[in-house]
């Protein structure tokens, strides 16, 4: 029989974006150490339904660490204390019997609370719409092997593209900045030959859209520490360089409008 | 009454799609903007279709119940995507991919559809590479391929173990480009709850805003359902928690035939459930079977730890029964054999619900470092989930459901039996027959969305120039909204004692036990008596709390589980009527002496498509005969 934990949870409850929220205290007894953190919340919800209370809303879907839907600040850390782990992959054996666990939504002005632990991260989609794509209409592509991509570029591009868009970087940042997300999405495309045609237009548009929603980066590095996919801070440096280049290259000469 | 006209074009198999493309009517570029199209779902099929249709000039509205289009469950596909590029010079061709897919589907798919799929497979890779999908590359910068799922050629393109994620990001970014251009209207956290028809033709949908609870309507000239498969009917599956059959099912209730519901695929190497509250099963790559040896203890209810069981008291049952293929027998064979030993009481782990996958031999032979280099990330994932170190203790694995080949019946144009309503990707039944090959799901989703639907939808729309969409205050919409609202009210007012998850879990147990890896007449009949009983209880004893006017995920689930109940009954009926074994459908009564699936080509080389005839009556079974002119039907053997 696996180990059982008795826990106290302080969970943020909030009815809607414009309503005041508060912490509720729940006890979770007989939690199996084999449960994931979200299964522990399922268990609490099952108990709430039995006792006639409204279950806690939280975002989740694939439960295998790839869709980026799950979130949560667990004891003040985005996705909890484990490195490079999403909340759905965090297991209860990482906690101790008798622990008190504080569960909050990702907090950032650009991520308004929808209800309880659910937040609205659609500002990330606005950043992608600003230029996080390569404009190639369906059918227009030539044979894939006509454009060799150096293996190193492809691999680094993949490292950036592994971002799951969960928003932990923003939640962990004291400034609620989205540099890690934006730079990962930008580097994915700017590093490879296919992305060159729109490179500087993309950079300027994505960075400035990001700034319209999020705070500024002051190099704390908390984003990387919280990132479930271990996205490197180097991409932020890469983005900053490309942004400077973009401001020069995109500058219109006098007389041109 | 709708009829089953598959509309397969004339001509030789290699010419059908080309001829069809030429013979279809076109919509003039300037007229495309006069048509509105609704796309439901933003996985590979939905996102690629919505992006491609809007690039052509159609006005597109796209709907997802997720908070962002990029969350769709296509994102979790690991292995890769097949394409007949023959970049490896090992003899692949469109015809070989076609042949392998028809054979792999155990001769229960349409030749014409599969050939088209193989033809456009090459365009998908070109398109995805141009979008910047970071496929694995060789040192020369060209694309790398691997052999996958027992294929004899290397035709699988991949992006580490996250091919689905990267392809979905490509399609999502193409969609984002069109949203930014103002030609796609995106609706997130919005769920389809009904398909609306006027004069027999699809004219729009009714949706519920999952945040405000508001029920509303959207009209269009055509409706495309790209809403994925129904594996979550089993409760425990490798699907995402919110994956559901609701869009497909509500279309079925409005007249779309539902085909081959019993064709479901089991993946042999998943981590077994650890307790009652387990919410999903995690798939471990099948590549582990290349080096791991599968066994169970000889004795029943053996409670010793695996390392204490001496060699002589272990049963390496796959190596024993299939000496030639051993641990590498196909998915369904490996799965059924695991079930057999667990059912006998030889299962391992606390819940006695798994078999061992042991790496001790390969670690002895090659050393731990070699094994770590090959499977390190998988071993870490296993240890993270189970808390056990697979370098020291054998892994425990058990089969789980992970794909459904059945789905909404569509013709060659991907149109359902509701005129104007289309279904693409896993939601339809079209290309995989009774069994899907590895790395073919991504291929089909993107083929439908990028390269098939954008052509075929125009053929139907061309004749409708000047037709206005049905206004959303038309009685057909108001009636559908009223029905949706009354179902929501009904759920909220039951006031019973049990949660929706409880019902889903209980339903899943029945479906898994009787309509799972192995089906029998007796079991299916039992399912047909137990499911309605539980369903009746659901409608009497469900307890939903909170409000219907806010985010309420229990209410969302209630609607999905209600549809799963109806689907489960159809799956049982479909499995009962199909008196043969084929692919993922294994009827214990129909097996060869070797324990292999025994097809009955004379009586069952057809698609079973079911027509809804009302909530109180059993659906009517229709048949679409399958004609094999290019592939000879053979029997598999793995001895």
């Amino acid at each position: 029989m696996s180990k059982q934990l008795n826990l106290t949870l302080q969970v943020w409850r909030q009815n809607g974006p414009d309503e005041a929220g508060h912490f509720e205290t729940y006890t979770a007894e007989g939690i199996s150490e084999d449960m994931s953190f979200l299964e522990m919340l399922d268990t609490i919800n099952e108990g709430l339904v039995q006792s006639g209370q409204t279950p806690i809303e939280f975002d989740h879907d694939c439960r295998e660490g790839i869709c980026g839907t799950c979130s949560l600040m667990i004891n003040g850390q985005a996705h909890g204390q484990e490195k490079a782990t999403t909340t759905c992959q965090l297991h209860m054996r990482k906690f101790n019997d008798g622990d008190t666990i504080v569960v909050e939504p990702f907090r950032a002005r650009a991520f308004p609370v929808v209800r309880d632990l659910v937040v609205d991260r659609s500002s990330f989609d606005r950043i992608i719409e600003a230029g996080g794509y390569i404009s190639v209409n369906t059918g227009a592509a030539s044979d894939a092997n006509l454009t060799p991509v150096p293996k190193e570029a492809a691999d680094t591009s993949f490292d950036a593209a592994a971002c799951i868009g969960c928003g932990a970087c923003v939640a962990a940042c004291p400034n609620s900045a989205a540099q890690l997300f934006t730079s990962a999405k930008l580097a994915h495309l700017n590093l490879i030959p296919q992305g060159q045609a729109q490179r500087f237009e993309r950079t300027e548009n994505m960075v400035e859209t990001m700034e319209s929603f999020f705070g500024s980066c002051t190099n704390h590095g908390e984003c990387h520490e919280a990132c479930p996919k271990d996205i490197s801070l180097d991409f932020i440096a890469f983005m900053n360089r490309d942004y400077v280049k973009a401001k020069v290259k995109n500058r219109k000469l006098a007389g041109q409008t | 009454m709708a009829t089953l006209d598959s509309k397969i074009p004339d001509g030789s198999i290699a010419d059908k799609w080309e001829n069809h493309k030429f013979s279809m009517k076109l919509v003039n570029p300037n007229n495309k903007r006069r048509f509105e199209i609704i796309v439901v779902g933003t996985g590979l099929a939905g996102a690629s279709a919505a992006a491609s249709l809007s690039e052509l000039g159609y006005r597109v509205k796209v709907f997802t119940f997720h908070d962002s289009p990029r969350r769709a469950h296509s994102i979790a596909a690991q292995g890769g995507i097949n394409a007949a590029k023959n970049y490896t010079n090992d003899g692949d061709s469109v015809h070989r991919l076609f042949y392998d897919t028809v054979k792999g589907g155990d001769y229960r798919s349409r030749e014409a559809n599969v050939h088209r799929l193989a033809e456009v497979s090459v365009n998908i890779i070109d398109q995805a590479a141009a979008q910047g999908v970071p496929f694995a590359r060789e040192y020369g910068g060209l694309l790398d391929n691997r052999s996958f799922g027992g294929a004899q050629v290397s035709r699988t393109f991949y992006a580490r173990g996250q091919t689905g994620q990267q392809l979905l990001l490509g399609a999502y970014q193409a969609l984002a480009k069109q949203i930014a251009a103002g030609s796609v209207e995106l609706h997130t956290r919005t769920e389809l709850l009904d398909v609306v028809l006027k004069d027999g033709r699809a004219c729009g949908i009714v949706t519920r805003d999952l945040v405000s609870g508001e029920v509303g309507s959207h009209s269009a000239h055509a409706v495309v359902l790209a809403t994925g498969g129904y594996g979550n009917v089993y409760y425990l599956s490798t699907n995402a928690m919110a994956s559901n059959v609701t869009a497909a099912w509500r279309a079925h209730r409005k007249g779309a035939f539902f085909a081959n519901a019993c064709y479901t695929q089991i993946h042999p190497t998943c981590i077994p459930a650890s307790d009652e509250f387990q919410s999903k099963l995690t798939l471990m790559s099948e590549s582990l079977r290349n080096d791991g040896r599968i066994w169970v203890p000889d004795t029943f209810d053996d409670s010793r730890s695996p390392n204490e069981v001496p060699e002589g008291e272990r049963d390496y049952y796959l190596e024993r029964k299939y000496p030639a293929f051993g641990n590498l027998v196909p998915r369904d064979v490996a799965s059924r054999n695991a079930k057999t030993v667990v059912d006998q009481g030889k299962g391992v782990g606390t819940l006695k619900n798994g078999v061992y996958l042991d790496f001790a031999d390969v670690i002895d032979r090659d050393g731990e470092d070699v094994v770590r280099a090959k499977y390190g990330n998988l071993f870490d994932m296993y240890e993270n989930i189970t808390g056990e170190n697979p370098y020291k203790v054998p892994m425990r694995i058990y089969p789980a459901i992970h794909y459904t080949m059945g789905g909404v019946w569509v013709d060659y144009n991907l149109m359902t039996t509701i005129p104007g309503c289309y279904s693409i990707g896993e939601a339809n039944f079209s290309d995989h027959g009774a069994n899907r090959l590895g790395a073919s799901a991504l291929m089909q989703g993107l083929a439908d969305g990028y390269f098939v639907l954008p052509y075929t939808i125009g053929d139907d729309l061309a004749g409708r120039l000047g037709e206005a969409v049905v206004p959303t205050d038309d009685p057909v919409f108001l009636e559908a909204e009223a029905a949706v609202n009354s179902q929501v009210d009904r759920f909220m007012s039951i006031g019973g004692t049990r949660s929706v998850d409880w019902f889903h879990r209980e339903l899943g147990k029945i479906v898994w036990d009787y309509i799972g890896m192995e089906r029998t007449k007796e079991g299916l009949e039992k399912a047909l008596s137990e499911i309605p009983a539980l369903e009746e209880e659901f409608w009497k004893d469900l307890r939903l709390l909170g409000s219907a006017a806010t985010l309420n995920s229990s209410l969302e689930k209630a609607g999905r589980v209600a549809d799963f109940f109806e689907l489960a009954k159809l799956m049982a009926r479909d499995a009962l009527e199909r008196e043969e074994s084929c692919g993922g459908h294994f009827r214990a009564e129909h097996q060869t002496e070797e324990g292999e699936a025994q097809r009955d080509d004379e009586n069952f080389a057809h698609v079973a498509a079911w027509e809804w005839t009302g909530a109180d009556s059993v659906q009517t079974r229709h048949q679409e005969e399958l004609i094999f002119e290019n592939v000879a039907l053979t029997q598999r053997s793995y001895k």
Side-chain angles (χ1 to χ4, degrees):
Chain A
M1 200 60 201
S2 57
K3 205 174 73 184
Q4 309 263 307
L5 307 174
N6 295 319
L7 305 163
T8 304
L9 274 99
Q10 295 184 333
V11 180
W12 186 260
R13 304 298 306 260
Q14 183 173 339
N15 283 335
D18 302 322
E19 300 195 39
H22 64 281
F23 282 105
E24 286 275 350
T25 303
Y26 302 102
T27 52
E29 281 166 10
I31 296 296
S32 156
E33 63 168 2
D34 290 330
M35 279 186 193
S36 70
F37 197 85
L38 297 182
E39 285 165 355
M40 185 271 295
L41 287 181
D42 290 342
T43 308
I44 291 190
N45 273 345
E46 189 71 34
L48 290 179
V49 172
Q50 289 313 316
S51 63
Q53 301 174 66
T54 312
I56 304 159
E57 294 290 345
F58 58 94
D59 261 326
H60 63 99
D61 197 26
C62 78
R63 297 205 177 186
E64 50 188 275
I66 193 75
C67 73
T69 311
C70 69
S71 56
L72 305 184
M73 295 302 275
I74 300 167
N75 290 332
Q77 287 181 285
H79 294 298
Q81 74 275 28
E82 288 297 302
K83 273 283 283 177
T85 302
T86 54
T87 294
C88 66
Q89 293 296 298
L90 176 65
H91 282 71
M92 296 314 293
R93 69 181 71 90
K94 308 288 183 186
F95 295 86
N96 298 312
D97 189 32
D99 276 358
T100 295
I101 306 173
V102 180
V103 188
E104 297 168 83
F106 278 179
R107 295 197 189 275
R109 183 176 293 171
F111 290 169
V113 171
V114 175
R115 186 176 172 85
D116 294 341
L117 304 171
V118 175
V119 298
D120 177 357
R121 289 166 282 188
S122 54
S123 42
F124 273 8
D125 290 312
R126 303 294 90 78
I127 295 175
I128 302 302
E129 287 157 17
Y133 47 78
I134 290 169
S135 294
V136 49
N137 283 0
T138 304
S142 55
D143 186 274
N145 266 351
L146 283 177
T147 310
V149 179
K151 184 168 167 44
E152 201 178 330
D155 286 348
T156 315
S157 169
F158 187 100
D159 290 342
C163 166
I164 57 174
C166 66
C169 46
V170 172
C173 176
N175 308 327
S176 298
Q179 253 76 4
L180 194 65
F181 167 80
T182 311
S183 68
K185 294 298 175 187
L186 184 124
H188 161 206
L189 304 173
N190 281 10
L191 283 165
I192 50 177
Q194 305 95 303
Q196 296 311 304
Q198 292 167 294
R199 178 172 182 170
F200 296 107
E201 183 194 357
R202 168 186 308 122
T203 305
E204 191 171 352
N205 290 341
M206 286 179 75
V207 169
E208 289 173 9
T209 302
M210 168 189 79
E211 286 175 340
S212 72
F213 289 102
F214 295 92
S216 298
C217 175
T218 47
N219 298 322
H220 282 261
E222 290 287 342
C223 50
H224 170 72
E225 291 303 311
C227 177
K229 296 294 149 183
D230 217 12
I231 304 289
S232 166
L233 287 176
D234 291 352
F235 293 123
I236 297 182
F238 174 84
M239 177 174 76
N240 290 341
R241 286 199 302 278
D242 262 19
Y243 183 66
V244 172
K245 285 185 211 165
K247 290 310 270 188
V248 175
K249 286 184 192 282
N250 296 350
R251 191 174 52 179
K252 300 278 187 288
L253 296 174
Q256 291 183 345
T257 51
Chain B
M1 193 194 84
T3 52
L4 282 180
D5 178 3
S6 59
K7 300 199 174 133
I8 295 170
D10 293 331
S12 73
I13 190 80
D15 295 331
K16 285 180 193 288
W17 178 232
E18 276 306 313
N19 292 347
H20 191 58
K21 279 196 283 188
F22 184 72
S23 69
M24 281 187 289
K25 292 190 284 280
L26 295 173
V27 181
N28 170 312
N30 289 325
N31 285 334
K32 289 202 176 84
R33 64 171 173 267
R34 297 166 68 183
F35 290 108
E36 294 182 45
I37 299 171
I38 283 171
V39 178
V40 187
T42 59
L44 286 178
S48 61
S52 304
L53 291 167
S54 95
E55 286 164 7
L56 287 170
Y58 295 111
R59 280 185 289 148
V60 176
K61 282 185 187 177
V62 65
F63 295 82
T64 171
F65 58 69
H66 287 107
D67 67 330
S68 164
R70 68 165 174 265
R71 309 280 190 220
H73 195 55
S74 304
I75 207 151
Q78 299 173 357
I81 177 166
N82 287 329
K85 281 285 198 185
N86 195 30
Y87 281 161
T88 50
N89 197 31
D90 60 358
D92 198 15
S93 63
V94 165
H95 194 79
R96 188 176 297 280
L97 176 54
F98 155 71
Y99 176 88
D100 287 354
T101 307
V102 172
K103 183 181 177 205
D106 223 358
Y107 310 98
R108 291 295 174 263
S109 49
R110 258 189 221 145
E111 280 193 344
N113 283 56
V114 177
H115 200 276
R116 175 176 65 189
L117 175 68
E119 286 173 59
V120 303
S121 68
V122 297
N123 306 106
I124 296 169
I125 301 304
D126 297 339
Q127 187 63 32
Q131 289 167 346
V133 170
F135 286 121
R137 302 255 166 191
E138 305 274 9
Y139 284 100
L142 303 182
L143 291 161
D144 189 22
N145 290 118
R146 63 182 171 194
S147 156
F148 194 81
Q152 289 174 309
V153 292
S154 293
R155 63 159 76 99
T156 304
F157 295 77
Y158 64 102
R160 293 188 198 161
Q162 290 153 245
T163 317
Q165 177 197 29
Q166 295 307 319
L167 288 169
L168 182 62
L169 290 176
Y172 155 70
Q173 290 168 353
L175 180 62
K177 164 174 72 80
Q178 295 306 110
I179 293 168
S183 51
V184 173
E185 193 179 294
L186 171 67
H187 297 261
T188 56
R189 292 197 195 270
T190 307
E191 180 167 31
L192 178 150
L193 290 180
D194 209 355
V195 175
V196 182
L197 277 63
K198 173 125 183 165
D199 303 328
R201 186 180 163 85
C203 65
I205 60 174
V206 172
T207 58
R208 180 170 175 271
D209 179 321
L210 300 182
V211 176
S212 68
E214 202 178 320
V215 170
S217 294
H218 301 270
S219 58
H221 294 92
V223 173
V224 181
L225 305 178
T227 47
Y230 49 86
N232 265 351
V233 67
Y234 291 87
Y235 186 70
L236 284 179
S237 79
T238 66
N239 280 189
M241 300 301 287
S243 300
N244 67 76
V245 76
T246 288
W249 197 257
R250 308 254 164 135
H252 174 53
R253 291 182 62 126
K254 284 296 181 77
F257 288 12
F258 202 95
N260 296 341
C262 74
Y263 290 167
T264 57
Q265 191 176 61
I266 313 280
H267 198 289
T269 52
C270 299
I271 302 176
S274 64
D275 59 49
E276 175 81 357
F277 287 99
Q278 178 112 8
S279 56
K280 82 157 273 162
L281 297 171
T282 303
L283 187 144
M284 303 291 292
S285 170
E286 240 178 323
S287 61
L288 291 169
R289 286 200 283 144
N290 290 330
D291 282 308
R293 297 181 68 196
I294 294 173
W295 64 275
V296 290
D298 268 335
T299 39
F300 297 97
D301 282 324
D302 195 329
S303 52
R304 289 176 291 183
S305 83
N307 295 336
E308 288 169 4
V309 180
E311 198 62 29
E313 295 173 31
R314 299 176 176 191
D315 181 11
Y316 294 89
Y317 57 90
L318 289 178
E319 297 173 19
R320 174 170 57 80
K321 289 169 74 175
Y322 308 94
F325 278 74
N327 295 298
L328 291 173
V329 291
R331 288 177 175 181
D332 55 332
V333 180
S335 300
R336 275 200 309 277
N337 278 282
K339 177 178 161 58
T340 306
V341 293
V342 168
D343 287 353
Q344 284 168 353
K346 293 181 178 176
V348 301
T350 317
L351 299 181
K352 306 277 176 210
N353 62 349
V355 298
Y356 289 125
L357 178 61
D358 196 336
F359 294 88
D361 280 5
V362 65
I363 290 172
D364 253 8
R365 191 172 66 234
D366 298 342
E368 203 171 301
D369 289 345
V370 172
V371 174
R372 181 168 283 114
K374 261 190 190 168
Y375 305 116
N377 60 336
L378 295 168
F379 277 43
D380 291 348
M381 183 166 95
Y382 181 85
E383 183 168 5
N384 184 36
I385 291 173
T386 61
E388 292 169 4
N389 177 354
Y391 294 100
K392 305 285 175 220
V393 189
M395 283 185 182
R396 288 173 295 111
I397 55 161
Y398 199 61
I401 186 82
H402 87 130
Y403 191 86
T404 53
M405 283 74 68
V408 181
W409 186 91
V410 288
D411 64 17
Y412 188 74
N413 294 321
L414 305 180
M415 198 195 278
T416 69
T417 49
I418 300 174
C421 179
Y422 296 78
S423 181
I424 59 177
E426 190 180 347
N428 74 26
F429 88 108
S430 73
D431 295 356
H432 305 297
N435 179 45
R436 179 181 63 76
L437 290 182
S440 284
L442 304 181
M443 173 171 70
Q444 186 227 336
L446 290 177
D448 287 358
Y450 283 135
F451 296 110
V452 180
L453 185 74
Y455 290 86
T456 59
I457 207 167
D459 187 42
D460 177 64
L461 291 175
R464 305 184 181 280
L465 200 59
E467 280 182 21
V469 296
V470 177
T472 52
D473 58 3
D474 189 279
V476 290
F477 281 109
L478 300 180
E479 280 162 26
E481 286 178 24
V484 165
N485 276 317
S486 94
Q487 194 193 42
V488 168
D489 293 343
R490 188 174 167 200
F491 282 135
M492 297 305 296
S493 63
I494 296 172
T497 64
R498 293 195 185 278
S499 71
V500 62
D501 284 333
W502 185 87
F503 283 104
H504 192 184
R505 211 157 38 229
E506 293 302 310
L507 171 66
K509 286 179 194 163
I510 300 173
V511 182
W512 178 246
D513 284 346
Y514 302 122
I515 325 173
M517 276 183 277
E518 186 174 293
R519 295 111 189 231
T520 61
K521 180 167 187 286
E522 194 192 3
L524 292 166
E525 282 168 351
K526 214 162 171 186
L528 279 173
S529 76
E530 289 184 13
I531 295 166
L534 185 65
E535 186 183 20
E536 206 181 309
E537 212 182 318
F538 170 80
W539 285 104
K540 274 195 217 139
D541 199 25
L542 175 69
R543 172 184 281 191
L544 287 186
L545 295 158
S547 151
T550 63
L551 186 70
N552 187 335
S553 45
S554 307
L555 173 61
E556 296 163 25
K557 277 187 229 165
R560 296 168 192 163
V561 172
D563 294 335
F564 279 141
F565 272 112
E566 293 182 353
L567 166 74
K569 290 184 283 184
L570 181 65
M571 286 168 68
R573 285 197 190 99
D574 190 45
L576 198 55
E577 292 281 325
R578 190 166 281 281
E579 286 277 1
E580 65 161 351
S581 296
C582 58
H585 169 63
F586 189 83
R587 282 285 300 269
E589 301 94 332
H590 304 287
Q591 49 185 310
T592 63
E593 280 177 18
E594 300 173 350
E596 266 295 315
Q598 177 79 63
R599 291 195 321 270
D600 176 356
D601 293 331
E602 201 173 317
N603 296 304
F604 288 98
H606 62 246
V607 175
W610 297 79
E611 179 186 13
W612 182 262
T613 50
D616 301 321
S617 58
V618 171
Q619 286 105 318
T620 307
R621 188 177 191 270
H622 299 264
Q623 295 183 10
E624 177 201 338
E625 295 306 321
L626 294 168
I627 297 153
F628 295 92
E629 292 170 330
N630 300 278
V631 179
L633 281 62
T634 57
Q635 169 71 43
R636 301 188 308 176
S637 175
Y638 295 98
K639 282 283 177 183

